[in-house]
Every structure is written in structure tokens, then in C-alpha cells.
Amino acid sequence: MTKWLVFLLAAGLAAGCLASARLDGGGDEQAKTRRGRLRALGLGVALLVIAVCVIRFLRAQSRPVAHARGSSFALSATSSSSATLWLVLAILAAGVLVALRWRRALWIVSAALMAAAGYGFVRARDYGNAALYNTVFHAAQPMAVAIPRIVNTAGRAPSPAHRLALSVTLKHATVGFSLPVLSSVVPANNVMSYLVLPLTYAALLLGGWLAWRALDGRSAAVRLVVGKMAEAKKQGRHWGILLLPAAIVTAELLAPNIWFGPGAANIGWTVALVGGTLLLIRRWPVVAAWLATAGLAALGLAGLYLAGSWDSGRWPLPLTPDGSVFYGAVDVSSHAMIYPATVQAVALIALACWLVPRTMPATLRLLGTGSQAELATRVRRLAESRAAAADTAAADLRRLERDLHDGAQARLIALGMNLRAVERLIPTKPEAALALVAEARETSARALTELRELVRGVHPPVLADRGLADAVRALALDCPLRVETDIDLPGRPPAPVETACYFAVAEILTNAAKHSGAREAKVAVSHAEGMLRIAVTDFGVGGADPANGTGLAGVERRLATFDGILAVSSPVGGPSIVVLEVPCALSSPKISSC
Amino acid sequence: MRVVVAEDLFLLRNGLVRLLEAHGFEIAAAVDSAPDLLQALLQDEPDVAIIDVRLPPTFTDDGLRAALEARRAVPGLPVLVLSQYVEQLYARELLAGDAGAVGYLLKDRVFNDDQFVDAVRSVASGGTVMDSEVVAKLLGRRSREETLARLSAREREVLELMAEGRSNSAIAQRLFITEKAVSKHSTSIFAKLDLVPSDDDNRRVLAVLAYLNG
Ligand SMILES: Nc1ncnc2c1ncn2[C@@H]1O[C@H](COP(=O)(O)OP(=O)(O)O)[C@@H](O)[C@H]1O
Ligand SMILES: [Mg+2]
């Protein structure tokens, strides 16, 4: 009977989530999409599961049976009316939360998962003395005594029953909360309890991922981290982060009692290990990525050796007091466990192999196995950029032809006609002829101006004369902004690269003058390790986006012909930084100009 | 007045020579490459040289570089540099050193032979002549916007002509005002731009150009 009520409510919750998502989803834009609805549903179910776990746990606690670790996690079929009431309330709360504040629901789910993971670690590692579990569990005790006193400022002495209730609640709220989540998925069966660790890792990953999603660009700090990660990813330096799990697993393998068991080390070890690893990752991301790859491979090999040597007892590293070995997500404590350990070892080796081309491209090239896929991508990119270059060149020629046809050519025709008229007028009306001659001179001057502009557009003379360095200086001088230049080019890039870069800088400076509202800009040109790098910075309004115009997109296309790239960083409010990088070699040292 | 002409295109070289001779100049040498030019400048010691920027052997800015080199050897050697296009970068290089006696003009300016000949004479006598395109770009700088906004429209016109290197009388003629009015405007401009006034035409041009370039 009560079970039916619960099912009914659960169905109602699901339907309510769907409906609320359809009906504007509590004002959240994302909730209107199909994904949003699915998410609402998933969150509702997750919250429900958590609620069920908490209630079951509370019930188990309220029974006088001492709650020993791993004693009974099975769902009890009986249900008291008060538990049903709790459940109903929980379902209603979950529904309301998902409908109105799905982000907060996401938070709760992820926090629950993390807490479950924390508990899972304690459970998996806490053999024999239950020290850690008890420590955390009883940490709540003093609070349980203190808080009722603070709450009861009215002077009413808290009744013993009141105090007991609060103490129990607080205990559950701290550590106990995570217990039921895990216990509901891990039966107390002995073999299956080996799953605690893998499940714990899964819960940790899922919880972390959800928390990440919940944060998603909300706070400035997260944006900073995301930005840093994106930057690292862009430079292919993000694999270093894998060093953190590799280091932790290695530390556990080498010193099983480092965190758990008798003589578990204090928090200092954790800080030293995690902090040191993070520092290494941040300071030397490339080295960290290398180490992570090598470390994962080594862990994999160690796992294979462990599996092979377990039965003969030749494993050289220290064991836990239980006589087992902590190997990542697998605790090797008996012959049966060498199979999951082997699986994990192979997976780690596979992961390391997969990482090698990503973290050690140079090594790969050394081995002469520059992968086929890489070549294929490159060929495709070259084909694309070549087609774009050919299109651009054709369009440029067409434009040139039209400009000449409508401009200089037309003016020369007019000039010829003018002169012919002058010829006729001279004998009869010399003053009129004089006026026409002045006009002819004007026309030829204008034709010259137009031709000059055309020539600048095709190939700027100063670039031909002096090369990129001085041409960029000339651009800086021509720009209405005050442009500071910092140019360090010991030679000249190939002519086509020079031209492309010149027009790129011209476009970027024109943009700065046209859109940014800045008074000053900076241009830095340098060449290092086979890469020409130009950075143009202005301190204007920001908001530059190649997608909003033709100029920057054109520059991007033109640079692509040379495997060059254009990167725009222009947050609203500025500053705008446009960086272009083109791989190229510099030819003979600069002939000193003047 | 003895002139060296350096221009590689036969048609233009001939045209220049004819124009100059028609205005009473004496052609000391008419050369068509940078090495010849350098030799002519250092040996013939002309009163003024008219030099095309682009010359053999490399057909880049050889003419300009020869001119700069000659001026390093003989400071203040009067050179008038002509080109199909003007670059502020080159203008700066020519102006560097404050020696005066330089000119930098678009080739188109020979269309108006009177003004062109005035420019040649001005350079020969130690003056500075800048093309109006260079000056217009200098005045268009945003960093100078505020101070230049203090000038009246007329003062701006006067400033522009002053920067091109024209004398008071030339400016007066051009703007249809009296010379006295021009000098009044120029005093006012110098006051507004916080420049030290100067009666010497050449000092004045250099001060204005230095200010605009700064
Ligand atoms: N330096 C800048 N500061 C602010 N906004 C910029 C800047 N550069 C470009 N933008 C913005 O980015 C858009 C794209 O630029 P671009 O591709 O050059 O097109 P456009 O032809 O409009 O210049 C511009 O329309 C402008 O709104
Ligand atoms: Mg643009």
C-alpha cells in the first residue's frame, strides 16, 4: 500500500519534472530543450535515490542494533509509517528543487556522490580498526552537544531527548549521509564488496564531473580555471593533469599505509604529495605530461608483475597489515583478485600508449611512426587552404582588373579625349584650351593617386624596399593611433609570408583604429623556434570576433595557406589581443637599412 | 645653381632635366643608379640633388639610402627626394638629425613646376619641404587630436602649410591673406601648441614637424 503511494509519487515527480521543463522550466532557458528535460528527469531520479538512501540509513540507525561496518546494507522490506512520511516529503522536495532550481539539485547530487566516494575510500581502506571511520564519525559529537546550546538562546534548557536527536542528526548529516548511497549499491556479500573501490572511483568521477557542470562558467574563479585549462589545451599541455592520479596511485602502491591503516601518515603527506604534483603540473606542464605517461605505463607493468608474482609471494613492495596490495581501484588480497588487477594493468598500459603521441610527439617522430592520421589531416588542411588561396588570388586579380578598368584606364581615355579637344581649341579659343589643359593635368594626377593606392594594395613598396620589420614600423606610423612597436627579427621571412603578415597587421591595426576606440596600440614581432609571432594589442572596448566581419576571417584564411594561425582574445571591456603565428625560417640576416 | 638629378627611368630623367634647365638650373650630373649618384654627390658637390627613391642596383630604396649616406658624409647636403609614394618612415629618416636642407615629395608634384622649383630652391637654401600627404597623415594622428582641436580652422590650414615647409609669403598667397595675418596665426599656433616661436622659417618647419612626429 505505502509502496504504491511511493511509486505513484515517483511517477508524479517524473511527470512534474517533464511538465515543468515544458512549461518554461522555472524560467531557465536550457530546460526547454529536450536535453534539458532529460536532465531534469535524471536529476529527479538521482535526488530520489539519495532520499531513499538517507531514509533507509536513518531507519537502520534508529534500530538498536550496533551499526558495524559492512554488517547489513540490504534494503529492508518493512516500512514504518514515519519512514513513508519522510519519503513522501523527500520526493516532494526533490520535485520542487528540480523544477525550480535544477542547478542546486545538480549540486546536491554531485555533493552526495563525492561524499559517497569519500566514504567508499574509508570503507575500502579501513580494515580492522575502523580508526578513520570512527574519527570522522565522532567528530560530529562535540558539535552535537554545542549546537543545541547555541540554538536555545531563549534560556530553555535543551531536553536530553532533544540533544540526542540533534546529535544523531548531525552525525548522519556529516559522514553517515554518504553511507547509504554506497550501501544501497554494494551488497554486503563478500566477493561483491570488492566492488567498493571501483564504485568509489566511479562515484568520485561522476560527482566531480557533475560539480564541474554545475559550476560551468558561473563564478569568476571557475572562468579563470576554465580559461587556463582551455589555454593549456590549445597548446596541447593539458595532459599533465594526469600526473595527479598517477602520483596518488603510485604512492599508495609504494607505501600502503600512507593514508590508512595502522600508522597512517598525517595530513602533511597528502599536502606534500598533491601540492608538489600540482606545482609540477603548473610549472612544467610538458614534463608533467611526460611523467604521467611514463608513470601510467610503469604502473601498468607493475600490475602485470604483481599479478604474475602474487601466487609465489615474490612481490617486493610492502603489504598492508591485511597482507594485500593496494593497486589503484583493485585491492589484491587473494588469488582471485589478480584477474581484475591484470585488467587494470592492461588498461593502464593502453592508456599510456594512447597518450604517447599526445604528450611526446617528438618521440614519435623519432620512431618514424608519424601517424597516418596526422598526415591525412594535414593533407586535408593543405587542400582546403590551397583552394582558399587560389580563390582569394583569383578574386584579388578580378578586383584589380576592375579597379584598373574603372579607374586609371578610364582616366587615361578621358585624358586623351581632352588633349584632342585642346588640339582643336588652340587656334580658335586659346583660353578655353587652357582650362581644358588644367583639367587634363588634374585628371592625370588623380589617375596617379589611384594607381598608387592599387599598388599599395597589391604589394606595398615599403615591404619590397625594407622587409617586414620596417613595413610594420611604417604601418604603425601610418595608423591614426599611437602605435608602439617592439620588433625583433634577425632576418627576413619568405616573401609570401611577409606579404600575408603585412596585410594581417594592416587589417588588425585598421580594426583597432576603426572599432576599438583606443588611443594606443602595441605591435610585437618576434621569431623563435621556427615560428614567426606577431601580437597586436589595443586597450579599447574589446569584443572583436572574426565571425562578425570579413577582415579577420580573411586574414585567418590567408595565414592558413602557410599553416599559420590567428588567435583573438578580446573580452568585452578590452584589451584586444590578436596574435598570429606562422611557422617559417628567416633568410639571411638583415642588411642594415640606412 | 648646380643640380644632380638621379632617376633611372629615361623619360622622367629627361623631363626633369628639361624642366630644371628651363628654370635656369645648371645640371651638374644626371645619373641612373645609386653608386653613380653617391659618386656624383661626393665629387660634384652640387647645390642640391634631386633623387628618386627607387634606383638600381636593387630597385628598392637605394636612392634614399645613398642620399642618407651622402648626408652622413656631408651633413646638411641638400637633397630633395622624389618618389611614387611617400612613407612616413622615410620622412622620419630624412628628418633625423635636424640638419635641414631636405625635401620629400611625391613625383606628381612636378606637375606644378612653379611650386616644384620653389621647393628645389628652398631645399638648396637649407629649408625643409614635406609632401602634403605626409603632413596630412601627421595631422590625422589621434594622439594629436586634442591639442589640434584647440586650433581654429584657419590656423590648421596655416599649420599644414607651415609643416610642408612653405614661407610666410607663400602661405599668404595660397590662403589669400596678408603676410602679417600669417605671422599672427603662426604666433597663435605656437602659443597653443606650447612651442618656442621662431622667426627663422627653417627652424619653424622643423619644430612643427618634430611636434607632429612626437
Ligand atoms: N580591435 C577591436 N576592438 C573592438 N572590436 C573589434 C576590434 N577588431 C574587430 N572588432 C570587431 O570584430 C568584428 C570583426 O572584425 P573584421 O573581421 O575585421 O570585420 P570588419 O570588416 O567589420 O572590420 C568587427 O566588426 C568589430 O565589431
Ligand atoms: Mg576589419
Side-chain angles (χ1 to χ4, degrees), chain A residues 8 33 48 74 109 139 176 220 228 233 266 287 290 326 332 409 466 477 545 577:
Chain A
L8 220 66
T33 62
L48 204 64
V109 173
K228 281 244 152 65
K233 179 153 187 204
N266 56 24
V287 176
W290 273 42
F326 290 158
V332 182
Q409 260 178 336
R466 296 283 182 85
L477 285 174
D545 184 355
I577 307 175

Side-chain angles (χ1 to χ4, degrees), chain A residues 492-509:
Chain A
R492 283 184 69 164
V497 173
E498 266 193 335
T499 312
C501 289
Y502 174 89
F503 283 112
V505 174
E507 169 64 30
I508 297 164
L509 282 178

Side-chain angles (χ1 to χ4, degrees), chain A residues 507 511-512 514-516 538 541-546 548-553 576:
Chain A
E507 169 64 30
N511 277 351
K514 205 164 60 171
H515 305 297
S516 79
D538 74 60
V541 295
D545 184 355
N548 285 348
T550 49
L552 290 174
S576 303

